Amino acid sequence: MLDIPLPVLLGQVTIGLVNGCFYAMLSLGLAVIFGLLNVINFSHGAVYMLGAFAAYLGSRWLGINYWIALFIVPVVVGAFGMLVERLLLRRLTGLDHLYSLLLTFGLALVLEGIFLDIYGSAGQSYNGPPQLDGLVDLGFMRLPLYRVWVVAVSLAVCVGIWLLIERTSLGAYLRAGTENARLVQALGINVPLMITLTYGLGVGLAALAGVLAAPIYQVQPLMGSNLLIIAFAVVVIGGLGSTLGAILTGLGLGIIEGLSKVFYPEISSTTVFIIMALVLLVRPAGLFGREA
Amino acid sequence: MTTSLALSTPISAATEMGPTAAAAAQRRQILALQDVHAWYGESHILHGMTLSVAEGEVVSLLGRNGGGRTTTLRAIMGLVDRRKGSIRIAGAEVIALPPHRIARLGVGYCPEERGIFASLTCEENLRLPPSQAGGGMSVDEIYALLPNLAERRKTQGTRLSGGEQQMLAIARVLRTGSRLLLLDEISEGLAPVIVDRLLELITRLKSLNYTILLVEQNTHFVEDLADRHFVVERGQVVLHVTAAELASSAELLERYIGV
Ligand SMILES: Nc1ncnc2c1ncn2[C@@H]1O[C@H](COP(=O)(O)OP(=O)(O)OP(=O)(O)O)[C@@H](O)[C@H]1O
Ligand SMILES: [Mg+2]
């Protein structure tokens, strides 16, 4: 174990951190949506894919460049999410979790099916912005500048959303609504609107992750489904409904996963689930969850 | 106590009239329930509740456990699964409105479980409900009135003592400018000194012409406070007693609510 050179180790940590950023952004959206809506959003991976495809198709058909896509795609896909909430999810409020889970799962299958039908399972490549071509020399490794950008943007977005939730009055609505939405509404807050916006925010965040991912990973219809499973594990490990838990666990797991590639590559893809099992044994409510 | 509690009245201007039952008859009805039925899922809980509260009146809902008093308040707020009949607030029919629209008509609701949020500090709890047109007490006025809350403004809401949480739940709706208060068992489970302070607070609100519907188990708490009393049983009003009749109907009342 000690014969592993430090640069290799740090290299895997860095790569893990990039993956962790995607885990964090997806899990944060899942956690916020679950907190307020009580919906286990199985279409989250599909909207991430939708974000990546929107960037790809926008560039191919409309010549929309990366920088514009970065702003427009989350808004458009987020608006699509709000439509889904208003037209479909809302009708299931008050019913068992299982109904909304099945609805969002079905929605994911439909979205992925449509793209599979048109584009097949082969990946499309999407070029990142030329401004971010090139490598950054970190001393122990040379990292593509684009990945540094991804880490910076994701961290800024996660911290921004965390501050929004923890420090603003809008965030206080969300925290209170997560505890008791009916009472918050009886205190005069338009909770149905808040639910729509929150769902839109979570979906928009997944779409943003999709745009960020498009130049790194291949743009393909099933790109979200593997990631989604990990994101769910992150939410569970972090503690259901804990935003800070989702962010820190996402980043941490990315790094641990990276490290496990160095020490024991065979289990690197299962690391997350082993950790989940261990955490649940010790702290059933998750690392940052409130014990009931 | 501060003297700056002369509040604006979103529902209507304050009347000069003393809040006696006779005067109440001529005053504007702020809350009127007519044959209200309410359900939780399939359980039919309210069976034709009819009652009204005039501006500036304090009215109590008495009765044994499970009679439907909490459900009456929840039905007014739109927090039951289904409701039928007529509920008018300052004349406007609200039976089809969602809870937030009802609250914005100037209705302040303090639930039986107090509803202080654990993930919010004391002050965040206080500032949570949006102010209505006209506004109510400022946060400073509330802190002057309830200095305990000022000391604990940064404390997690649910770490406050039971009495402080109850004060906070009331203060929270006073801040919005609500002039109709629906208070559910606010004296329940609190020490006698705290109950006295609550009594003082409600008496003060009454003198400021707030309209208050008070659910109580503790007849003692309401006997000097309320202008009228309704006894609720099996989801209906079974007895109506004015403050003046209270002494003479003590025995009757005892039969309805005695344990
Ligand atoms: N969420 C609910 N679902 C089904 N039934 C309920 C629910 N809440 C209350 N009930 C039933 O409705 C009836 C009236 O309850 P309510 O809480 O209104 O009584 P109450 O007069 O406030 O009494 P108390 O608060 O002293 O127990 C009771 O029989 C109760 O079991
Ligand atoms: Mg009750």
Side-chain angles (χ1 to χ4, degrees):
Chain A
M1 173 171 159
L2 291 174
D3 54 358
I4 293 161
L6 189 65
V8 173
L9 209 63
L10 290 176
Q12 284 303 331
V13 168
T14 318
I15 291 169
L17 183 64
V18 176
N19 287 333
C21 285
F22 289 107
Y23 300 162
M25 272 197 288
L26 262 76
S27 315
L28 179 58
L30 281 177
V32 170
I33 290 172
F34 179 78
L36 187 64
L37 282 77
N38 260 311
V39 167
I40 300 172
N41 191 30
F42 257 85
S43 60
H44 218 64
V47 291
Y48 162 82
M49 176 274 291
L50 214 53
F53 259 102
Y56 166 72
L57 295 175
S59 135
R60 234 183 63 176
W61 293 346
L62 306 170
I64 293 175
N65 79 23
Y66 174 86
W67 303 107
I68 297 173
L70 203 57
F71 284 95
I72 300 238
V73 168
V75 172
V76 171
V77 178
F80 166 74
M82 291 192 236
L83 215 60
V84 167
E85 194 282 322
R86 267 283 144 105
L87 298 179
L88 301 172
L89 272 175
R90 170 149 310 183
R91 297 171 192 275
L92 303 178
T93 32
L95 298 179
D96 193 89
H97 283 328
L98 204 57
Y99 290 90
S100 55
L101 187 151
L102 286 175
L103 175 75
T104 54
F105 186 60
L107 190 66
L109 292 182
V110 169
L111 289 173
E112 289 172 351
I114 290 173
F115 280 88
L116 270 175
D117 209 44
I118 304 176
Y119 297 97
S121 53
Q124 320 285 329
S125 55
Y126 174 75
N127 292 328
Q131 295 88 335
L132 296 177
D133 279 346
L135 299 171
V136 184
D137 197 345
L138 297 177
F140 53 89
M141 75 180 295
R142 284 146 64 88
L143 190 68
L145 179 59
Y146 185 76
R147 297 192 184 221
V148 177
W149 160 253
V150 166
V151 173
V153 172
S154 333
L155 289 182
V157 167
C158 286
V159 169
I161 289 180
W162 180 76
L163 286 175
L164 176 79
I165 293 174
E166 295 300 324
R167 295 281 181 271
T168 69
S169 56
L170 218 58
Y173 292 169
L174 189 74
R175 278 176 281 145
T178 298
E179 281 185 55
N180 185 347
R182 295 291 281 166
L183 178 59
V184 170
Q185 194 177 1
L187 290 173
I189 293 152
N190 190 342
V191 171
L193 177 65
M194 194 168 104
I195 285 179
T196 305
L197 294 176
T198 303
Y199 193 75
L201 173 78
V203 166
L205 203 57
L208 174 67
V211 179
L212 287 172
I216 302 183
Y217 308 116
Q218 295 277 308
V219 178
Q220 54 110 333
L222 299 179
M223 65 191 288
S225 38
N226 283 335
L227 196 57
L228 179 67
I229 302 304
I230 297 181
F232 274 126
V234 168
V235 173
V236 172
I237 297 170
L240 280 182
S242 163
T243 45
L244 188 63
I247 296 171
L248 295 182
T249 309
L251 295 172
L253 278 187
I255 292 172
I256 293 175
E257 200 183 34
L259 283 176
S260 69
K261 281 194 184 118
V262 183
F263 294 114
Y264 195 38
E266 291 80 0
I267 65 152
S268 69
S269 56
T270 7
T271 327
V272 171
F273 303 101
I274 296 171
I275 293 176
M276 177 167 92
L278 292 177
V279 167
L280 290 184
L281 278 177
V282 184
R283 278 185 69 96
L287 293 176
F288 295 81
R290 261 176 235 275
E291 300 284 345
Chain B
M1 282 200 190
T2 93
T3 51
S4 55
L5 291 176
L7 305 166
S8 56
T9 55
I11 287 178
S12 90
T15 56
E16 293 299 309
M17 243 181 291
T20 67
Q26 282 112 53
R27 268 180 299 160
R28 202 155 73 101
Q29 300 298 312
I30 291 297
L31 176 67
L33 277 69
Q34 184 66 46
D35 194 28
V36 172
H37 291 253
W39 289 260
Y40 291 119
E42 293 296 304
S43 345
H44 189 171
I45 308 291
L46 297 189
H47 298 265
M49 283 288 298
T50 298
L51 61 85
S52 64
V53 187
E55 183 166 21
E57 245 192 330
V58 174
V59 168
S60 83
L61 293 183
L62 302 170
R64 291 205 181 90
N65 290 102
R69 295 162 302 145
T70 295
T71 307
T72 303
L73 298 193
R74 293 178 59 86
I76 296 168
M77 290 314 302
L79 294 175
V80 290
D81 295 337
R82 196 154 71 83
R83 53 188 183 153
K84 210 184 77 182
S86 163
I87 300 174
R88 293 181 167 273
I89 290 170
E93 181 59 63
V94 303
I95 197 88
L97 290 186
H100 63 279
R101 297 273 308 278
I102 295 171
R104 287 177 191 178
L105 291 172
V107 187
Y109 173 54
C110 291
E112 193 167 16
E113 66 285 358
R114 295 179 189 135
I116 299 304
F117 296 99
S119 52
L120 273 60
T121 63
C122 172
E123 183 154 324
E124 281 178 325
N125 268 287
L126 185 59
R127 290 181 184 274
L128 185 74
S131 306
Q132 292 136 11
M137 290 188 193
S138 70
V139 170
D140 289 338
E141 281 170 327
I142 284 169
Y143 283 153
L145 189 66
L146 304 165
N148 277 23
L149 296 185
E151 273 166 41
R152 313 212 59 189
R153 61 173 80 191
K154 296 273 178 247
T155 310
Q156 184 190 345
T158 44
R159 301 228 163 176
L160 302 181
S161 71
E164 286 167 336
Q165 286 189 37
Q166 191 61 70
M167 300 281 181
L168 179 56
I170 298 171
R172 177 167 71 180
V173 295
L174 294 179
R175 212 202 104 251
T176 65
S178 298
R179 299 289 306 181
L180 168 60
L181 308 182
L182 309 179
L183 311 179
D184 200 343
E185 306 237 17
I186 53 173
S187 72
E188 191 186 22
L190 299 177
V193 263
I194 309 286
V195 173
D196 287 345
R197 291 200 44 210
L198 276 172
L199 197 58
E200 238 171 66
L201 176 66
I202 304 301
T203 309
R204 175 133 184 90
L205 293 176
K206 184 182 179 181
S207 72
L208 291 166
N209 206 44
Y210 279 82
T211 305
I212 301 173
L213 181 59
L214 203 58
V215 167
E216 264 305 326
Q217 193 79 275
N218 180 353
T219 336
H220 205 66
F221 188 79
V222 289
E223 62 190 5
D224 295 328
L225 189 64
D227 301 302
R228 293 184 295 135
H229 309 270
F230 289 99
V231 177
V232 177
E233 215 172 86
R234 288 184 301 276
Q236 278 178 320
V237 171
V238 291
L239 186 68
H240 174 212
V241 182
T242 63
E245 296 162 350
L246 192 62
S248 57
S249 6
E251 215 169 283
L252 186 61
L253 204 60
E254 186 63 22
R255 214 178 313 144
Y256 275 110
I257 62 179
V259 265

